[in-house]
Amino acid sequence: MKTAPLTLYGYWRSSAAYRLRIALNLKGLDYEQVAVNLKAGEQTTEAWLAQQPQGLVPVLKHGSQALVQSPAIVEWIEETWPEPALLPSAPADRAIVRGWAAVIGCDIHPLQNLRVLKAAAALDGQGMDSMKAWAQRWMVPGLRALNDMVRTAKRPGDFLWGEHPGLAEVYLVPQLYNARRWGVDVEEFPTLLAADIAARALPAFIDAAPENQPDAEAG
């Protein structure tokens, strides 16, 4: 049976869209990309709000079905194409890995989303300096705690949970990309950094990297 086409609407530097590119690549799935230029404000247009009323990316279209919110979409991808698995087989182990992903997806990333950073900058009028300070304020303790969690429960292997990248790296690699962008010293998180380096050497992650996207800006 022919599979309905996949179309990913996103932005090259959106970490939520970055997650989906990684997940799709790890599954070996073909997909088309359509850029929504957040810098130019395309997410606020009437046409985009008709698709995503929050004015956010990404959206993944599967045929005529449009899916929103990257955590739900990643879980849908995992359920629809279960091999290669992004999660461990045991329920307790899956809960641990989902918990690590949630540290990023629920606690760290929402506080350094573009619209939140812009709001933080507007509060004191310091612009980019305020955005950087705000991003670091929430990323550093969150990543420090996650590094401790992983170090305590880590399985042998190059990745956060063993020998193969999975859901944890789907969230980790985009978050460390953002951390570097905002001047966070990622050397402080050696367990996370080791998995990030191992993952970014793989084709699925190289192809998903922001700088390798069709809409990437130079510099």
Side-chain angles (χ1 to χ4, degrees), residues 19-41:
R19 291 173 197 159
L20 296 191
R21 294 194 299 265
I22 294 170
L24 291 164
N25 291 349
L26 286 173
K27 296 292 186 179
L29 298 170
D30 293 326
Y31 58 98
E32 178 186 358
Q33 292 199 68
V34 176
V36 179
N37 191 329
L38 303 186
K39 189 175 180 180

Side-chain angles (χ1 to χ4, degrees), residues 3-149:
T3 303
L6 291 164
T7 304
L8 175 59
Y9 293 77
Y11 179 62
W12 68 284
R13 211 158 55 186
S14 160
S15 56
Y18 191 177
R19 291 173 197 159
L20 296 191
R21 294 194 299 265
I22 294 170
L24 291 164
N25 291 349
L26 286 173
K27 296 292 186 179
L29 298 170
D30 293 326
Y31 58 98
E32 178 186 358
Q33 292 199 68
V34 176
V36 179
N37 191 329
L38 303 186
K39 189 175 180 180
E42 290 181 359
Q43 73 276 21
T44 65
T45 64
E46 184 177 343
W48 182 248
L49 292 172
Q51 295 197 69
Q52 218 294 8
Q54 291 178 286
L56 301 174
V57 296
V59 168
L60 184 67
K61 284 193 174 180
H62 180 237
S64 61
Q65 184 178 30
L67 305 173
V68 301
Q69 290 292 343
S70 64
I73 299 171
V74 171
E75 293 283 353
W76 174 81
I77 291 169
E78 174 75 349
E79 292 173 1
T80 305
W81 294 278
E83 297 296 333
L86 299 179
L87 286 162
S89 57
D93 293 344
R94 290 200 298 272
I96 291 171
V97 173
R98 283 187 172 114
W100 294 347
V103 171
I104 293 171
C106 298
D107 295 333
I108 300 175
H109 171 255
L111 289 168
Q112 39 97 80
N113 184 281
L114 179 60
R115 59 182 179 170
V116 174
L117 289 171
K118 286 183 175 179
L123 289 176
D124 62 9
Q126 297 301 308
M128 190 61 70
D129 288 342
S130 292
M131 293 169 75
K132 183 176 180 180
W134 178 271
Q136 292 182 357
R137 164 67 181 84
W138 298 109
M139 275 193 264
V140 171
L143 291 170
R144 187 180 293 137
L146 180 59
N147 190 79
D148 290 344
M149 291 179 194

